[in-house]
Structures are given as structure tokens and as C-alpha cells.
Amino acid sequence: MLEDFRLQVFHALVQERSFTKAAAILGISQPAVSQNIAELEKMVGMKLFERLRGEVVITQEGLVFKDYADRLSSVCSSAGNMFAKLPPSTVKLSVSEEVYNYLVAPALESFSRIHPEVTFERAIFDDADLKISLMPSDGSPYNVPADSIARIRMSIFPVPQSADIKSTHERTSYFDLIFQPTSAFSCTRVCRLIKEFLVS
């Protein structure tokens, strides 16, 4: 577990609103909960909880800190998932040459360094576990699918019409990277990790 244990204690206390109950779900003593929270409050320089009779209430500063703590916990969880061993598997990909060469291949090369046990094969449409494509989103007559995972800014520099014109005009478009796994593949851990990796 990459997450600082003090953050786990913080989240348990937010959830349970009791030092005794937080200690019980964490499997530690009540004084250990108090000590971890005291260390955390000293570290951030603010009171995160009010100790009222029979109840622990998060402060306004604690609510702000909770946003950061939630993000830190999410990142630590993602990192832990990414670097844990996967079962040997082959993923069949359907993706155009341009999208593959410029966007997908570099990401999968990095992914394969972490997970050499997962291999990738190019496939055609319905034979694929996963389809990845680009769809223009600005001014497009299509709805952007809910499973679009990244918006990519692409700039086009047209050739000047006259040799006398030294500058070029830049046209910028936004595209959505569409991640479309099959229903069987979408529920696998491999699929979730590839999706996280392409987003990051």
C-alpha cells in the first residue's frame, strides 16, 4: 500500500465520526488513531476535527483537506494497481494506423515495460477486444460517446499560398480519444489499467 497510513486514519475518522469506531475498523488502538490525527494536524498546521461530546466533527479546514486526501488516495490506489502483476494475456486491438503510430503505440510500449506478461495484437473490428479511435468533437454532428477518455488538441499548419507570405495560419481542432472495449473485456483488470494508462 503506497498511501500514507495517516490518510487512511483520516478517512476512517471522517466516515465513522468516532475515534473508537475508526480504531475498530482499522484494527488499531484508539490512542493510535488520536496520535495519527495529531501528527496530521501538526503537519498541515490546522485543526481538522472538532472533538465534541460523543462525536467527532470535521472542520471547514478538514473538508478542504479531504479533497486533497481523496485525490492522493486515488493516485496511490492507481499506482498500486498499475504495478501489481497481471496474468499473462493477449489483447486484440482495432485502431487506425495514424492513431496507433502517434498515440497508442508509445503508450503501449511504456505499458509493456511494466507488464511484459501482456501482449498486444492488431485486429479488425469485431475480432478486437478493444477499439480505439479519434472523433472530432468541435462542430461535429456526432455526440461524443460517454467512453471518450481524453481530449487531444491537434494543430494544422497549412502551406502558405504565396511565397511572399512568411507566416502560416494555425488551425486548431480538438479530438476525443474513444475507448470502446467489448463487454467481456471491459470488466477485466487489464482493460481498466490500459484505460488509466492512456489517460495519464
Side-chain angles (χ1 to χ4, degrees):
M1 174 66 77
L2 296 172
E3 183 182 1
D4 189 314
F5 184 67
R6 288 171 295 190
L7 292 182
Q8 294 180 51
V9 175
F10 173 83
H11 281 116
L13 193 53
V14 169
Q15 178 185 322
E16 298 299 327
R17 303 178 77 165
S18 158
F19 282 90
T20 304
K21 290 178 181 176
I25 66 167
L26 291 168
I28 61 176
S29 67
Q30 185 176 331
V33 172
S34 298
Q35 182 182 349
N36 277 278
I37 294 301
E39 287 174 7
L40 201 54
E41 290 179 328
K42 184 177 180 181
M43 189 175 73
V44 299
M46 293 192 174
K47 199 168 183 130
L48 302 175
F49 296 95
E50 288 291 345
R51 287 78 166 166
L52 305 177
R53 182 177 291 179
E55 187 178 42
V56 177
V57 179
I58 191 167
T59 63
Q60 289 302 311
E61 294 84 1
L63 287 170
V64 173
F65 179 79
K66 183 179 179 300
D67 288 338
Y68 289 95
D70 290 346
R71 280 181 269 170
L72 282 168
S73 297
S74 177
V75 168
C76 288
S77 176
S78 293
N81 286 334
M82 181 58 72
F83 290 95
K85 191 86 171 158
L86 293 172
S89 54
T90 299
V91 179
K92 295 181 179 178
L93 285 174
S94 173
V95 56
S96 72
E97 204 64 34
E98 295 82 5
V99 174
Y100 182 80
N101 289 339
Y102 291 103
L103 298 171
V104 176
L108 295 185
E109 185 179 332
S110 298
F111 185 90
S112 295
R113 284 193 204 111
I114 301 169
H115 294 291
E117 67 275 19
V118 179
T119 56
F120 297 92
E121 288 179 4
R122 301 285 294 281
I124 307 296
F125 304 115
D126 294 336
D127 292 331
D129 300 308
L130 175 62
K131 300 171 193 170
I132 299 176
S133 58
L134 283 181
M135 180 178 285
S137 56
D138 287 348
S140 170
Y142 305 103
N143 290 324
V144 178
D147 54 3
S148 62
I149 61 170
R151 184 151 289 187
I152 300 162
R153 183 174 183 268
M154 304 183 78
S155 299
I156 304 165
F157 298 91
V159 178
Q161 295 179 353
S162 164
D164 296 333
I165 301 175
K166 300 294 182 190
S167 63
T168 60
H169 297 284
E170 179 182 352
R171 289 184 296 132
T172 300
S173 298
Y174 287 88
F175 291 79
D176 286 296
L177 185 61
I178 311 302
F179 187 91
Q180 296 172 300
T182 63
S183 54
F185 184 63
S186 65
C187 63
T188 66
R189 185 160 164 255
V190 175
C191 180
R192 292 194 301 271
L193 289 182
I194 292 170
K195 184 171 185 176
E196 281 186 16
F197 199 86
L198 287 171
V199 171
S200 62

